[in-house]
Amino acid sequence: MVLATLDQEQTKNTPAVQADPVTGLFRMMGDSYPENSFEFFAPLIEWIEAFLETNTEALTLELNIAYMNTSSVKAMMDIFDLMEEAFQQGRKVQVAWFYDSRNERVVEMIEEFQEDCSFIFEIKKINDACDQGA
C-alpha cells in the first residue's frame, strides 16, 4: 500500500494539515473546533496508523494549535496514544508543539498532553514578527 500525502487547507474551524509519507512529517496549524471532530480527525488518525504500520521512518508531529474544543482534545489524545504505543514497540516518534509567545495560556493545555507521553515531546515558543522588531 502506498500512503498518500495529506494536504488540507485551514478553514475557519479546522487546522491546516500536511503529512508527508516519505519524510514522516505531519503538521497541523490552526484552531480546531470542527462541528464533527470524528469526521475531521478519522482520516488523520487512519493516516498515522497506516504510516506506523507500513513505514520505518520516524514520525514527527509539528503542531501549532492554540485552541481545541473538547472533542478535538479527545481525538488528539487518540493520536498521542497511537504514538505512545508505537514508541513502546521501538518506533521513533516525536512531537514539537509550537505556541505564540503572546498566548501563554495554551501552554497549560500542551503540558497536560505532554504529561502522558514518554516519547520526545517538545514545547516551543515562537515569536510573532512584531515581537522580533520586524
Side-chain angles (χ1 to χ4, degrees), residues 65-67 97 99 103-111:
I65 301 172
Y67 175 78
W97 197 317
Y99 74 96
N103 184 4
E104 293 284 340
R105 289 180 299 156
V106 73
V107 175
E108 204 172 288
M109 174 188 72
I110 300 168
E111 287 174 340

Side-chain angles (χ1 to χ4, degrees), residues 29-74:
M29 299 145 290
D31 292 339
S32 183
Y33 52 99
E35 282 187 36
N36 185 335
S37 290
F38 177 79
E39 187 177 294
F40 176 77
F41 278 97
L44 308 183
I45 291 170
E46 289 171 12
W47 190 95
I48 290 169
E49 286 177 325
F51 179 86
L52 291 170
E53 288 174 9
T54 63
N55 200 313
T56 58
E57 293 295 316
L59 175 64
T60 301
L61 259 64
E62 285 187 1
L63 307 170
N64 187 343
I65 301 172
Y67 175 78
M68 302 178 84
N69 64 3
T70 304
S71 55
S72 293
V73 167
K74 168 68 172 103

